[in-house]
Amino acid sequence: KMGQFETLKALLDENIQGVNRYNPENVVDLQRCVAAMASENKYDRDIALTTLKLYQLNPDKYDENTVRLILLKSLTVLPGSDFALAKYLIDAAHISAPELRHVLSIGSVLESCDFPTFWKLAKGEYQPDDKFKQPAEIVKLIKQISGFEEDVRIYACRVISATFQNIERTQLVRLLGGATDQQVATYANRFGWESKENG
C-alpha cells in the first residue's frame, strides 16, 4: 500500500510541472506532502523548494509549521546544499521567528560537524547557555521528523569517512551519538571501514 507521501507526490509531480508549478492552489497538497515527508521519513527536494518558493510568491499562504518541517528535513540530506537553498527562499521577516531560529541553530551545529554538541542536544543533556537558551525546544523539534537521528548518523559517517584514515572506536561511537556495536558494525559494512584489534 502506498503511503500518503507516495500518493501526494504522484499527484504533485503532475501538478507542479511547467507553468503550473507555482499555482497557489497547490499549496494545500504541498503542505500535506511535506507533513507526510516528516512522518514517513521520505524526502523530495523539488517539493520542499517549490513549497518555499510558493510562499515567497504568495505571502498570505505562508505556514510556519511547514517551513519548519522543510528546514528540518533539508538537514537530513547534509552534506547536500538543500538546507542552504531552503534558507535563501525564506523571507528575512519570517526567518527570525523563534521556532525557525531554533532550527537554524541546529543547522549551524550540523553544518560545522559539531556532532558531540548535536547529540547532547538530541538527548536532552545540554545545559542552557548563550548559544542554546532553551535546549529542550531542540529535542521537541527533532522528534517531529521521523528518522532524524539516523539521518544525522549517516551524515556523520560520511564526514568521518572523508576526514579520518583511522579513528578510535570510542571517538567514533561518540560522534555517532552512542551508537551500539550492532549499529557500528552496520555502518562499517556500508562505508567500507575495517575494525582493528586495538580499537
Side-chain angles (χ1 to χ4, degrees), residues 36-42 73 76 141-151:
M37 286 199 304
S39 63
E40 297 174 21
N41 197 3
K42 305 279 192 214
K73 279 304 297 186
T76 65
L141 285 171
I142 292 169
K143 295 237 179 304
Q144 294 176 358
I145 305 293
S146 153
F148 193 87
E149 295 188 11
E150 177 58 18
D151 290 328

Side-chain angles (χ1 to χ4, degrees), residues 62-140:
Y62 182 84
D63 179 69
E64 187 179 90
N65 187 39
T66 302
V67 173
R68 184 175 69 236
L69 294 177
I70 289 172
L71 283 171
L72 286 163
K73 279 304 297 186
S74 70
L75 286 171
T76 65
V77 293
L78 281 169
S81 59
D82 301 36
F83 181 65
L85 289 169
K87 282 191 300 191
Y88 287 130
L89 288 169
I90 301 166
D91 226 287
H94 290 305
I95 205 142
S96 52
E99 287 247 298
L100 296 190
R101 276 211 312 272
H102 288 314
V103 180
L104 298 181
S105 311
I106 303 172
S108 64
V109 166
L110 288 174
E111 284 182 313
S112 62
C113 301
D114 183 356
F115 297 111
T117 297
F118 172 79
W119 293 115
K120 263 193 202 156
L121 286 163
K123 290 172 190 224
E125 294 163 2
Y126 193 97
Q127 294 308 309
D129 62 13
D130 284 346
K131 209 169 165 192
F132 291 97
K133 292 185 175 66
Q134 300 164 295
E137 292 302 308
I138 305 292
V139 180
K140 282 189 217 156

Side-chain angles (χ1 to χ4, degrees), residues 4-5 8 27-37 66:
Q4 204 184 3
F5 170 77
L8 286 162
V27 162
V28 174
D29 284 333
L30 283 163
Q31 287 174 176
R32 282 171 50 205
C33 196
V34 169
M37 286 199 304
T66 302

